[in-house]
PDB file of all heavy atoms in Angstrom:
ATOM      1  N   ARG A   2     -74.965  93.928  36.136  1.00 83.00           N
ATOM      2  CA  ARG A   2     -73.522  94.021  36.326  1.00 83.00           C
ATOM      3  C   ARG A   2     -73.158  93.973  37.813  1.00 83.00           C
ATOM      4  O   ARG A   2     -72.188  93.319  38.207  1.00 83.00           O
ATOM      5  CB  ARG A   2     -73.032  95.316  35.692  1.00 83.00           C
ATOM      6  CG  ARG A   2     -71.548  95.474  35.701  1.00 83.00           C
ATOM      7  CD  ARG A   2     -71.160  96.723  34.935  1.00 83.00           C
ATOM      8  NE  ARG A   2     -69.744  96.951  35.075  1.00 83.00           N
ATOM      9  CZ  ARG A   2     -69.157  98.081  34.820  1.00 83.00           C
ATOM     10  NH1 ARG A   2     -69.852  99.104  34.380  1.00 83.00           N
ATOM     11  NH2 ARG A   2     -67.864  98.216  34.982  1.00 83.00           N
ATOM     12  N   ALA A  27     -62.249  73.723  63.299  1.00 87.00           N
ATOM     13  CA  ALA A  27     -61.187  73.273  64.206  1.00 87.00           C
ATOM     14  C   ALA A  27     -59.980  74.215  64.133  1.00 87.00           C
ATOM     15  O   ALA A  27     -59.357  74.513  65.153  1.00 87.00           O
ATOM     16  CB  ALA A  27     -60.767  71.849  63.859  1.00 87.00           C
ATOM     17  N   ALA A  39     -52.340  74.508  71.956  1.00 83.00           N
ATOM     18  CA  ALA A  39     -52.561  74.108  70.565  1.00 83.00           C
ATOM     19  C   ALA A  39     -52.800  75.325  69.682  1.00 83.00           C
ATOM     20  O   ALA A  39     -53.466  75.231  68.664  1.00 83.00           O
ATOM     21  CB  ALA A  39     -53.753  73.154  70.495  1.00 83.00           C
ATOM     22  N   ASP A  41     -52.848  78.006  66.956  1.00 88.00           N
ATOM     23  CA  ASP A  41     -52.517  78.005  65.532  1.00 88.00           C
ATOM     24  C   ASP A  41     -52.621  79.446  65.031  1.00 88.00           C
ATOM     25  O   ASP A  41     -53.716  79.988  64.926  1.00 88.00           O
ATOM     26  CB  ASP A  41     -53.495  77.097  64.777  1.00 88.00           C
ATOM     27  CG  ASP A  41     -53.235  77.062  63.285  1.00 88.00           C
ATOM     28  OD1 ASP A  41     -52.304  77.742  62.800  1.00 88.00           O
ATOM     29  OD2 ASP A  41     -53.980  76.350  62.583  1.00 88.00           O
ATOM     30  N   GLY A  49     -54.015  89.392  58.224  1.00 87.00           N
ATOM     31  CA  GLY A  49     -53.004  90.324  57.734  1.00 87.00           C
ATOM     32  C   GLY A  49     -52.994  90.382  56.219  1.00 87.00           C
ATOM     33  O   GLY A  49     -52.877  91.465  55.628  1.00 87.00           O
ATOM     34  N   ILE A  52     -55.888  92.538  55.203  1.00 91.00           N
ATOM     35  CA  ILE A  52     -55.782  93.958  55.539  1.00 91.00           C
ATOM     36  C   ILE A  52     -54.991  94.719  54.476  1.00 91.00           C
ATOM     37  O   ILE A  52     -55.348  95.843  54.115  1.00 91.00           O
ATOM     38  CB  ILE A  52     -55.149  94.134  56.937  1.00 91.00           C
ATOM     39  CG1 ILE A  52     -56.159  93.688  58.001  1.00 91.00           C
ATOM     40  CG2 ILE A  52     -54.709  95.562  57.169  1.00 91.00           C
ATOM     41  CD1 ILE A  52     -55.584  93.597  59.399  1.00 91.00           C
ATOM     42  N   PRO A  77     -70.584 103.006  56.330  1.00 79.00           N
ATOM     43  CA  PRO A  77     -71.214 103.056  57.651  1.00 79.00           C
ATOM     44  C   PRO A  77     -70.960 104.389  58.341  1.00 79.00           C
ATOM     45  O   PRO A  77     -69.912 105.007  58.159  1.00 79.00           O
ATOM     46  CB  PRO A  77     -70.548 101.913  58.419  1.00 79.00           C
ATOM     47  CG  PRO A  77     -69.276 101.655  57.700  1.00 79.00           C
ATOM     48  CD  PRO A  77     -69.488 102.053  56.266  1.00 79.00           C
ATOM     49  N   THR A  83     -70.407 101.690  71.625  1.00 87.00           N
ATOM     50  CA  THR A  83     -71.636 101.737  72.410  1.00 87.00           C
ATOM     51  C   THR A  83     -71.832 100.414  73.141  1.00 87.00           C
ATOM     52  O   THR A  83     -71.161  99.421  72.850  1.00 87.00           O
ATOM     53  CB  THR A  83     -72.848 101.977  71.484  1.00 87.00           C
ATOM     54  OG1 THR A  83     -72.951 100.858  70.578  1.00 87.00           O
ATOM     55  CG2 THR A  83     -72.705 103.275  70.700  1.00 87.00           C
ATOM     56  N   VAL A  91     -69.416  90.697  71.999  1.00 92.00           N
ATOM     57  CA  VAL A  91     -69.275  89.590  72.945  1.00 92.00           C
ATOM     58  C   VAL A  91     -70.082  88.378  72.461  1.00 92.00           C
ATOM     59  O   VAL A  91     -69.581  87.248  72.445  1.00 92.00           O
ATOM     60  CB  VAL A  91     -69.704  90.021  74.368  1.00 92.00           C
ATOM     61  CG1 VAL A  91     -69.846  88.830  75.288  1.00 92.00           C
ATOM     62  CG2 VAL A  91     -68.697  91.022  74.937  1.00 92.00           C
ATOM     63  N   PRO A 106     -67.452  82.288  56.639  1.00 86.00           N
ATOM     64  CA  PRO A 106     -67.082  80.885  56.521  1.00 86.00           C
ATOM     65  C   PRO A 106     -68.281  79.937  56.602  1.00 86.00           C
ATOM     66  O   PRO A 106     -68.277  78.885  55.968  1.00 86.00           O
ATOM     67  CB  PRO A 106     -66.130  80.658  57.703  1.00 86.00           C
ATOM     68  CG  PRO A 106     -65.539  81.997  57.946  1.00 86.00           C
ATOM     69  CD  PRO A 106     -66.640  82.982  57.648  1.00 86.00           C
ATOM     70  N   LEU A 135     -87.301  91.974  68.584  1.00 83.00           N
ATOM     71  CA  LEU A 135     -87.220  92.618  69.896  1.00 83.00           C
ATOM     72  C   LEU A 135     -87.405  94.122  69.734  1.00 83.00           C
ATOM     73  O   LEU A 135     -86.953  94.710  68.752  1.00 83.00           O
ATOM     74  CB  LEU A 135     -85.863  92.330  70.542  1.00 83.00           C
ATOM     75  CG  LEU A 135     -85.620  90.878  70.950  1.00 83.00           C
ATOM     76  CD1 LEU A 135     -84.192  90.714  71.434  1.00 83.00           C
ATOM     77  CD2 LEU A 135     -86.595  90.441  72.011  1.00 83.00           C
ATOM     78  N   ARG A 142     -79.422 110.780  72.427  1.00 60.00           N
ATOM     79  CA  ARG A 142     -78.621 111.779  71.726  1.00 60.00           C
ATOM     80  C   ARG A 142     -78.486 113.006  72.621  1.00 60.00           C
ATOM     81  O   ARG A 142     -79.392 113.344  73.354  1.00 60.00           O
ATOM     82  CB  ARG A 142     -79.283 112.169  70.417  1.00 60.00           C
ATOM     83  CG  ARG A 142     -79.422 111.004  69.459  1.00 60.00           C
ATOM     84  CD  ARG A 142     -80.031 111.480  68.151  1.00 60.00           C
ATOM     85  NE  ARG A 142     -80.492 110.383  67.351  1.00 60.00           N
ATOM     86  CZ  ARG A 142     -79.764 109.741  66.457  1.00 60.00           C
ATOM     87  NH1 ARG A 142     -78.525 110.096  66.269  1.00 60.00           N
ATOM     88  NH2 ARG A 142     -80.260 108.746  65.762  1.00 60.00           N
ATOM     89  N   GLU A 146     -78.198 122.310  70.779  1.00 55.00           N
ATOM     90  CA  GLU A 146     -77.930 123.628  71.330  1.00 55.00           C
ATOM     91  C   GLU A 146     -78.773 124.660  70.604  1.00 55.00           C
ATOM     92  O   GLU A 146     -78.935 124.611  69.391  1.00 55.00           O
ATOM     93  CB  GLU A 146     -76.443 123.966  71.168  1.00 55.00           C
ATOM     94  CG  GLU A 146     -75.549 123.080  71.996  1.00 55.00           C
ATOM     95  CD  GLU A 146     -74.098 123.480  71.829  1.00 55.00           C
ATOM     96  OE1 GLU A 146     -73.824 124.619  71.393  1.00 55.00           O
ATOM     97  OE2 GLU A 146     -73.235 122.654  72.151  1.00 55.00           O
TER      98      GLU A 146
END
Side-chain angles (χ1 to χ4, degrees):
R2 186 175 174 197
D41 179 359
I52 289 171
T83 63
V91 168
L135 292 174
R142 298 183 195 270
E146 294 182 19

